[in-house]
Amino acid sequence: MPRHFTRRSLIRGITAATAVATLGTGLAACGGDSDAATTTGAAGTVTVGRLSNGAAKETTLKVSEVKSISAELPAAVRKSGKLVIGSGTLPAGAPPLGFTGSDQKTLTGSEVDLARLVAAVLGLEPEVKRFTWENLFVGIDSGKVNVGFSNITDTEERKQKYEFASYRKDDLTFETLKKSSWTFDGDYRALAGKTVSVGAGTNQERILLEWKGKLEKEGKKLTVKYFQDSNSTYLALNSGKIDAYFGPSPNLAYHVTQSAGTPSPTRLAGQFSGAGATLQGLIAATAKKGSGLAKPLSDAINHLIDNGQYAKWLAAWNLTSDAVTTSEVNPPGLPLDNA
């Protein structure tokens, strides 16, 4: 049975939570080349989880080029000998997906780790470029980047400009102070009267603003606030300026563990699929539409799944619950009507 239909059988329903965003505009504050903590050591090996400051267990994996998959690459990419990887993690990023490592300069995180594993299967040298979130898409559009590995949600809107190779569940969650009794049960009406922070230009913002609009039609209020970075967001949460933070499940789950021994511990307060109420959201490697990269990227990810490196990568970053059984090319994504 083709992989596409195998994955379809698992695509419905809500499970946990993660997401990310809309199309970027403007080219200011682009960012540039980056060191990355995932390294290729001895021939045929890739080390993941380096410099993670406790967010991951450093693990060395055996990964070699698969000629039948690298042969699928567009000629220009194959000839260049490198895979240019975009990471929307400026200015600070957030663990475990993408952040500055313990040496205070090197990019580490689960996303760039997978990108480098994929590059190894394709027989390409990985080259990582960091951007602000919105300028990551500008980089893809302009050809400065071959593919984005940056917690990018598969959406039907994005398919107008991009092609996808899925690799992880896309789930979102709310985080509150542990002392709060509020819980999100999947019904947007639970947000009435609340003040919630969300990242600008993200898929979770789109969902939250849809709920805000529905509440307004019912004469109820949801206040949405924005902060420049996660540190500012958590200061607002700790001080009571916001009731909850709505963001990618891996980021928030990591923060809950880190806050456990502080004066302001937090907890997860409810989850939602990044693709809406009736479809399991997916995170995907993202390339320019028509680039011809989605198929070889998907086949490389499936090779990692079939040979066990994918599971070990997830385990190293404590993301096993986000696993998918197969990578798909352009699977159904967040609907245009965000239903």
Side-chain angles (χ1 to χ4, degrees):
M1 179 179 289
R3 293 183 183 277
H4 182 72
F5 294 102
T6 300
R7 180 68 184 89
R8 285 285 184 90
S9 66
L10 299 174
I11 204 167
R12 303 201 179 275
I14 303 171
T15 52
T18 290
V20 174
T22 57
L23 307 180
T25 58
L27 194 53
C30 249
D33 297 348
S34 171
D35 292 331
T38 310
T39 61
T40 302
T45 68
V46 175
T47 300
V48 303
R50 292 185 64 247
L51 301 172
S52 70
N53 200 25
K57 180 180 179 181
E58 186 173 321
T59 305
T60 298
L61 303 175
K62 292 183 179 180
V63 189
S64 300
E65 178 182 0
V66 179
K67 297 287 188 180
S68 60
I69 300 177
S70 60
E72 300 173 359
L73 287 165
V77 176
R78 190 167 60 249
K79 184 178 180 180
S80 75
K82 64 184 180 181
L83 185 68
V84 184
I85 300 154
S87 174
T89 52
L90 290 176
L97 300 176
F99 59 104
T100 302
S102 55
D103 64 354
Q104 304 303 311
K105 67 175 184 178
T106 303
L107 175 66
T108 189
S110 59
E111 301 294 272
V112 70
D113 274 359
L114 179 62
R116 294 200 163 210
L117 289 167
V118 167
V121 175
L122 296 174
L124 299 174
E125 181 68 24
E127 178 182 332
V128 180
K129 293 181 179 290
R130 295 186 74 181
F131 299 84
T132 58
W133 171 254
E134 63 273 12
N135 282 311
L136 168 59
F137 295 95
V138 178
I140 298 171
D141 295 343
S142 67
K144 290 183 178 181
V145 168
N146 297 135
V147 57
F149 274 84
S150 198
N151 201 51
I152 302 171
T153 300
D154 166 28
T155 75
E156 294 306 309
E157 180 182 20
R158 288 196 182 127
K159 285 196 183 114
Q160 297 171 17
K161 294 184 68 175
Y162 307 103
E163 56 187 49
F164 297 103
S166 59
Y167 60 84
R168 192 164 49 74
K169 286 190 216 173
D170 173 25
D171 292 327
L172 299 166
T173 193
F174 288 91
E175 183 179 2
T176 65
L177 291 176
K178 190 173 183 179
K179 64 184 180 182
S180 169
S181 61
W182 180 80
T183 297
F184 180 76
D185 60 1
D187 186 344
Y188 69 90
R189 295 174 184 86
L191 292 161
K194 300 299 180 183
T195 299
V196 179
S197 174
V198 72
T202 61
N203 183 49
Q204 54 265 31
E205 180 198 30
R206 180 178 174 177
I207 292 172
L208 192 65
L209 292 180
E210 183 197 17
W211 289 335
K212 175 181 169 70
K214 288 183 176 181
L215 287 169
E216 287 176 349
K217 290 179 180 178
E218 298 173 7
K220 301 171 184 176
K221 184 177 181 180
L222 165 61
T223 301
V224 177
K225 288 194 173 182
Y226 301 91
F227 297 93
Q228 190 172 18
D229 52 41
S230 59
N231 288 336
S232 299
T233 300
Y234 286 119
L235 284 173
L237 182 62
N238 293 344
S239 66
K241 291 181 179 179
I242 60 174
D243 297 300
Y245 174 35
F246 188 41
S249 183
N251 293 141
L252 274 57
Y254 172 81
H255 181 262
V256 167
T257 65
Q258 297 301 297
S259 73
T262 71
S264 301
T266 62
R267 66 178 178 87
L268 301 182
Q271 298 171 325
F272 196 77
S273 168
T278 61
L279 187 69
Q280 172 59 57
L282 294 170
I283 297 298
T286 304
K288 191 172 183 178
K289 187 174 182 178
S291 66
L293 281 168
K295 178 64 163 53
L297 288 166
S298 179
D299 286 347
I301 294 165
N302 281 319
H303 174 80
L304 294 168
I305 291 172
D306 293 343
N307 289 276
Q309 298 101 330
Y310 171 83
K312 291 176 181 178
W313 159 70
L314 285 172
W317 285 100
N318 300 307
L319 294 175
T320 300
S321 62
D322 285 354
V324 295
T325 58
T326 190
S327 171
E328 290 184 279
V329 174
N330 295 325
L334 178 74
L336 286 171
D337 62 3
N338 208 22

